[in-house]
Amino acid sequence: MEGYLPIGWCIFWAVLSAPFVIYGIWKMTKMIQEDRRVLPLMAVCGAFVFVLSALKIPSVTGSCSHPTGTGLSASFFGPFITSVLGTIVLLFQALLLAHGGLTTLGANVFSMAIAGPFIAWLVFVGLRKTGKVGIGLAVFISAAVANLVTYTVTSLQLALVFPVEGSILTAFIAFAGIFAVTQIPLAVIEGIICGLVAKYIVRVKPEILKKLGIIQDEEIAKIQGEAA
């Protein structure tokens, strides 16, 4: 939340996050210039992040637990474009909903919009390359991973600032343990929602996902046949 981190750490996380977001803006601009048909799907992913991450559950850590919604975007567009979408969402939430803050924006961006999506994307790509994991299941797993990684990094961020008896490790375990009570079930629920949304998009607008190289005709036909 606003004012929870010392200004030095706020600057550190902002500087660390900036290159990812800047590169993401360039990559997003290039993708849109090449094919503007990706815009609606990109907007849906951004809105999805906004809605899910706005559902917050207060935590005694001084932060809060909530879904992140970034796994869907990371699966479709990769971590860098997701970092831009996540930054926009976090900025609007800080300004309009008092969720997060402007001073802590860099820290929140790094955990929710960079670290979580980056690992989720690696998981998604790895699962899909096996050729044995359908898009729904792959998105389910990557979305759950994005959520859990986000809060693992958040726990580390808090532990660095508020060590317990001088121990960062002890503080990290304490923060992670508190978050885990709500975050593990939230991650599973978020994964299920993201997986279902991914399959729905395949049913109604598969051509964009096909162009992005995420899915092929055979799997599209199979998923659309399930809905028939």
Side-chain angles (χ1 to χ4, degrees):
M1 62 183 179
E2 187 69 72
Y4 198 70
L5 298 180
I7 190 63
W9 281 106
C10 292
I11 294 172
F12 171 80
W13 292 114
V15 170
L16 191 62
S17 299
F20 293 90
V21 178
I22 292 170
Y23 179 69
I25 292 172
W26 175 82
K27 194 165 186 178
M28 176 185 286
T29 302
K30 184 179 179 182
M31 181 177 288
I32 293 171
Q33 288 175 344
E34 290 176 352
D35 191 346
R36 293 184 65 84
R37 290 179 300 173
V38 301
L39 268 172
L41 181 57
M42 206 175 282
V44 166
C45 288
F48 194 70
V49 174
F50 183 89
V51 171
L52 284 191
S53 61
L55 304 174
K56 58 182 180 178
I57 302 171
S59 168
V60 295
T61 60
S63 183
C64 61
S65 292
H66 55 77
T68 66
T70 57
L72 186 68
S73 175
S75 299
F76 290 169
F77 295 107
F80 294 104
I81 289 177
T82 302
S83 73
V84 179
L85 296 177
T87 299
I88 294 170
V89 165
L90 287 166
L91 180 60
F92 270 86
Q93 288 180 347
L95 293 172
L96 302 177
L97 304 178
H99 184 185
L102 296 178
T103 60
T104 55
L105 182 63
N108 289 329
V109 165
F110 188 82
S111 61
M112 193 184 98
I114 295 173
F118 199 91
I119 301 302
W121 173 73
L122 291 176
V123 169
F124 179 80
V125 171
L127 290 172
R128 294 294 284 168
K129 280 188 175 181
T130 65
K132 299 178 181 179
V133 181
I135 190 168
L137 180 57
V139 171
F140 161 74
I141 295 172
S142 65
V145 166
N147 186 304
L148 295 175
V149 170
T150 293
Y151 279 88
T152 300
V153 173
T154 299
S155 298
L156 176 60
Q157 290 173 323
L158 292 170
L160 289 169
V161 179
F162 305 107
V164 175
E165 298 179 351
S167 173
I168 293 174
L169 178 60
T170 301
F172 171 76
I173 294 172
F175 284 125
I178 293 169
F179 277 130
V181 174
T182 52
Q183 215 56 46
I184 291 176
L186 275 178
V188 174
I189 294 169
E190 179 178 346
I192 292 171
I193 294 171
C194 288
L196 292 174
V197 169
K199 293 188 75 171
Y200 176 76
I201 291 172
V202 172
R203 293 185 185 113
V204 299
K205 208 71 176 175
E207 60 271 15
I208 300 300
L209 296 181
K210 183 180 176 182
K211 182 174 177 59
L212 291 172
I214 295 169
I215 195 168
Q216 301 300 323
D217 289 332
E218 183 179 348
E219 189 174 4
I220 292 172
K222 180 180 178 181
I223 291 174
Q224 292 182 336
E226 291 173 355

